[in-house]
Amino acid sequence: MIKEITHRQQELIEAAGRILTDSGVGGLTIKRLAAEMQFSEAAVYRHFASKEDVVITMLEYLAEEMDQRLQLVLRTAQGPEEQLKSIFQNQFDFFALHPHFVVAVFSDGLLEESQRINAAIVNIMSVKMRHLMPVIMIGQQTGVFTNAISTEELMHIVMGTFRLQMFKWRLADFQFDIKRQSENMMSALLTLIRQR
C-alpha cells in the first residue's frame, strides 16, 4: 500500500522533482517550491515541515510505488530472463513518463543532505534489490544466467548498467529515446549474463 499523500503533496513532490532536475539540490528551497506552485511559502509549510521532508516524502513515495509496480511485473512475466527484461522495461517506462524523478533517485548531491535522505535512498535501492535478487538467483539455478559470477556481483552489474543508462539520459537532458536505448542495453546485458 503506497503511503497516503494528499493530491497537493503529490503536486509538491513533482514540482520538487522538476526543480531538482533544473537546478540541482542547491536550487530546491521552500521559497522556490512555493514560486513553482504559485502560492505562498506558508502554504508549502502546511504540507511539509522542511525541504528535507519534501525530499524524503518523494523518495518514500517512489520506493513504495516501485515496490507495487515490480510486484505486479513479477507476477505476470514468465521465467527469469523475461522477468529481468520486464523489471527494467517497467522502470524505464516509469521514468520516461516522470523524468523529473530521475534526479531524485540518481542524484549524488542528495547524499550529502542528511542521514534521513541517505536512508530513504538506500531504501529505494533495497526495494529494487529485493525484487532483482531472486530473479537472478533463479536464473542462475536454472542455467539461464551465468554462474561464473556470484548472484550479488551479478545483481550489482545489472543495477550499475541501469544506473549508467539513466545517468547518460539525464546528462543528455532527456533528449534521446530512453525506451529504445533501454531495449538495446537490455539485449546487450542479456548477451553478457546468459549461460553459455
Side-chain angles (χ1 to χ4, degrees):
M1 177 88 165
I2 291 179
K3 175 183 173 179
E4 288 295 318
I5 62 172
T6 67
H7 177 69
R8 183 65 77 198
Q9 286 174 318
Q10 177 75 34
E11 290 177 333
L12 283 162
I13 65 173
E14 289 183 9
R18 290 191 298 273
I19 293 168
L20 284 171
T21 300
D22 293 341
S23 306
V25 176
L28 179 59
T29 63
I30 295 297
K31 182 176 185 170
R32 175 93 186 265
L33 186 54
E36 175 82 11
M37 294 295 295
Q38 298 181 347
F39 52 63
S40 70
E41 291 177 51
V44 175
Y45 283 117
R46 278 198 291 276
H47 299 283
F48 295 105
S50 66
K51 164 184 161 175
E52 180 185 51
D53 285 344
V54 173
V55 173
I56 289 169
T57 299
M58 178 191 309
L59 294 170
E60 288 175 348
Y61 170 79
L62 290 171
E64 292 175 24
E65 196 277 340
M66 177 175 61
D67 191 32
Q68 287 191 0
R69 277 188 296 107
L70 296 185
Q71 284 178 41
L72 181 61
V73 162
L74 292 174
R75 280 198 300 265
T76 57
Q78 299 296 312
E81 188 170 314
E82 190 59 40
Q83 287 178 328
L84 187 65
K85 282 185 201 175
S86 295
I87 285 171
F88 283 97
Q89 194 58 55
N90 185 275
Q91 287 290 88
F92 284 119
D93 289 347
F94 175 81
F95 285 117
L97 290 173
H98 308 283
H100 50 275
F101 286 139
V102 169
V103 176
V105 178
F106 296 99
S107 174
D108 293 334
L110 285 176
L111 294 173
E112 287 82 41
E113 286 295 302
S114 78
Q115 287 299 96
R116 287 179 61 215
I117 289 175
N118 287 354
I121 291 171
V122 167
N123 183 50
I124 287 177
M125 288 189 289
S126 297
V127 168
K128 192 163 194 177
M129 288 189 292
R130 190 170 61 243
H131 292 288
L132 193 56
M133 181 74 89
V135 171
I136 292 172
M137 189 178 296
I138 291 168
Q140 288 180 306
Q141 291 169 353
T142 58
V144 175
F145 301 143
T146 182
N147 284 300
I149 302 170
S150 74
T151 303
E152 187 172 338
E153 290 168 344
L154 194 53
M155 182 188 62
H156 290 151
I157 290 167
V158 170
M159 287 183 67
T161 302
F162 175 77
R163 185 176 177 88
L164 178 61
Q165 187 71 18
M166 298 307 291
F167 183 67
K168 285 170 43 182
W169 188 46
R170 170 66 187 104
L171 287 179
D173 201 25
F174 310 112
Q175 293 303 306
F176 64 78
D177 182 348
I178 189 64
K179 291 182 183 184
R180 187 174 57 78
Q181 290 286 352
S182 69
E183 288 171 13
N184 295 339
M185 180 209 75
M186 184 52 65
S187 177
L189 183 63
L190 286 169
T191 298
L192 291 173
I193 69 171
R194 278 189 194 109
Q195 185 74 279
R196 299 189 196 293

